[in-house]
Amino acid sequence: INPWDVMLCVSGTAIACENAIVVAIICYSPALRTPMFVLVGSLATADLLAGLGLILNFVFQYVIRSETVSLLTVGFLVASFAASVSSLLAITVDRYLSLYNALTYYSERTVLCIHTMLVGTWGVSLCLGLLPVLGWNCLHDRSACSVVRPLTKSNVTLLSASFFLIFIIMLHLYIEICKIVCRHAHQIALQQHFLTASHYVATKKGVSTLAIILGTFGASWLPFAIYCVVGDPNYPSVYTYATLLPATYNSMINPIIYAYRNQEIQRSMWVLFCGCFQSKVSFRSRSPSDV
């Protein structure tokens, strides 16, 4: 048994457990029905499926050896991770809209926008996952294989290009968010006729949080995306594992960043697991701009 496969299976188990809790909390709590939590639920669902996919990939690789099953598992993983990355982009767009259109954010138009992003996210991800299953694979042409078998070189190039595009869009949106946050903090300070240290601390904290979010995402996925483009299938497989494993850690970190730090989810966890609060307690839904 390849120890790298064991590490991926362990990673998948941790990912599935973490995100299953988030999905259960959001489904259980009626208070968590705002657009922000719907997108967080989409992210948790995608990461949950990705974790299950890593477990199934290990099982089928060592228990049921079949090219067809392997192809289905790879397609499932591609769709799940694509949905995870796309959900991160949708959350970024939602945070930007909550700041840019703060006065009209809580409207039917926002709900329609969220539903449209969800349909687009899962629709595109499903299509990307079906490509290798429908024939875009190298099972019958080993020379076309990429560093991720049985995906072809052109397939992983498309996936990497999509990731780079999403990363650039997220980087641009987070820069705009930082500008808006700094401008709002400065306007509040001017209205009070003086600049206090608390405003600088709050602004610095918000910008630092955004940097951590984007930095974690980039550090997790960029090495694997770059290696998929420049790597050669003849290279040792350890290079693929060494870049793929950190990418899975992003799905392990996502629930910590986007769910467990949120006060409403923390309270709902007590309701779900400990019964320390009454289930009918009303919670104030925080704005997506709360970071």
Side-chain angles (χ1 to χ4, degrees):
I1 297 179
N2 190 331
W4 286 100
D5 290 327
V6 175
M7 294 174 66
L8 286 174
C9 183
V10 171
S11 177
T13 303
I15 291 170
C17 292
E18 279 186 293
N19 288 281
I21 294 174
V22 177
V23 172
I25 290 171
I26 293 178
C27 292
Y28 173 83
S29 305
L32 305 180
R33 294 293 184 270
T34 60
M36 177 185 68
F37 289 115
V38 171
L39 293 176
V40 171
S42 172
L43 174 62
T45 301
D47 287 333
L48 170 61
L49 295 177
L52 294 176
L54 290 173
I55 298 173
L56 292 176
N57 181 65
F58 179 84
V59 173
F60 291 140
Q61 187 172 356
Y62 291 98
V63 178
I64 306 175
R65 293 181 177 273
S66 169
E67 289 186 344
T68 303
V69 173
S70 174
L71 199 60
L72 291 173
T73 305
V74 170
F76 184 79
L77 283 171
V78 169
S80 301
F81 280 117
S84 175
V85 173
S86 300
S87 295
L88 289 174
L89 175 61
I91 290 175
T92 306
V93 173
D94 179 62
R95 284 182 167 176
Y96 173 75
L97 293 177
S98 71
L99 290 170
Y100 186 77
N101 298 320
L103 297 178
T104 60
Y105 176 75
Y106 293 100
S107 63
E108 294 183 359
R109 183 178 179 181
T110 300
V111 175
L112 177 62
C113 179
I114 296 300
H115 290 165
T116 302
M117 286 195 294
L118 287 176
V119 172
T121 291
W122 287 94
V124 172
S125 300
L126 181 61
C127 291
L128 290 175
L130 286 175
L131 288 179
V133 178
L134 296 178
W136 204 359
N137 58 70
C138 63
L139 291 180
H140 304 292
D141 184 11
R142 297 294 180 180
S143 62
C145 283
S146 66
V147 295
V148 184
R149 295 181 179 87
L151 300 181
T152 63
K153 296 177 182 177
S154 55
N155 195 341
V156 297
T157 300
L158 172 63
L159 294 174
S160 298
S162 301
F163 167 79
F164 291 135
L165 177 61
I166 289 176
F167 183 76
I168 292 173
I169 295 175
M170 288 180 62
L171 177 61
H172 173 71
L173 289 176
Y174 274 126
I175 290 175
E176 293 300 317
I177 289 174
C178 288
K179 291 180 180 179
I180 295 174
V181 170
C182 293
R183 186 165 59 248
H184 286 181
H186 184 68
Q187 290 174 349
I188 293 173
L190 290 179
Q191 290 177 358
Q192 296 179 355
H193 305 292
F194 60 91
L195 298 175
T196 62
S198 61
H199 291 119
Y200 287 113
V201 172
T203 303
K204 183 178 179 180
K205 181 180 178 181
V207 173
S208 299
T209 304
L210 295 178
I212 291 173
I213 291 173
L214 190 62
T216 301
F217 175 64
S220 299
W221 278 104
L222 275 177
F224 181 68
I226 294 174
Y227 182 69
C228 285
V229 176
V230 303
D232 188 274
N234 295 321
Y235 291 169
S237 60
V238 65
Y239 296 159
T240 302
Y241 283 113
T243 53
L244 176 59
L245 188 61
T248 65
Y249 292 160
N250 187 67
S251 296
M252 197 181 302
I253 298 172
N254 282 339
I256 299 174
I257 294 178
Y258 295 96
Y260 294 133
R261 293 174 62 249
N262 186 277
Q263 292 181 359
E264 279 70 28
I265 289 185
Q266 291 173 3
R267 291 169 181 166
S268 297
M269 287 181 65
W270 283 108
V271 173
L272 183 61
F273 295 109
C274 301
C276 295
F277 296 89
Q278 295 296 326
S279 60
K280 295 183 179 180
V281 172
S282 61
F283 304 122
R284 183 186 65 86
S285 296
R286 298 171 69 187
S287 167
S289 59
D290 293 340
V291 293

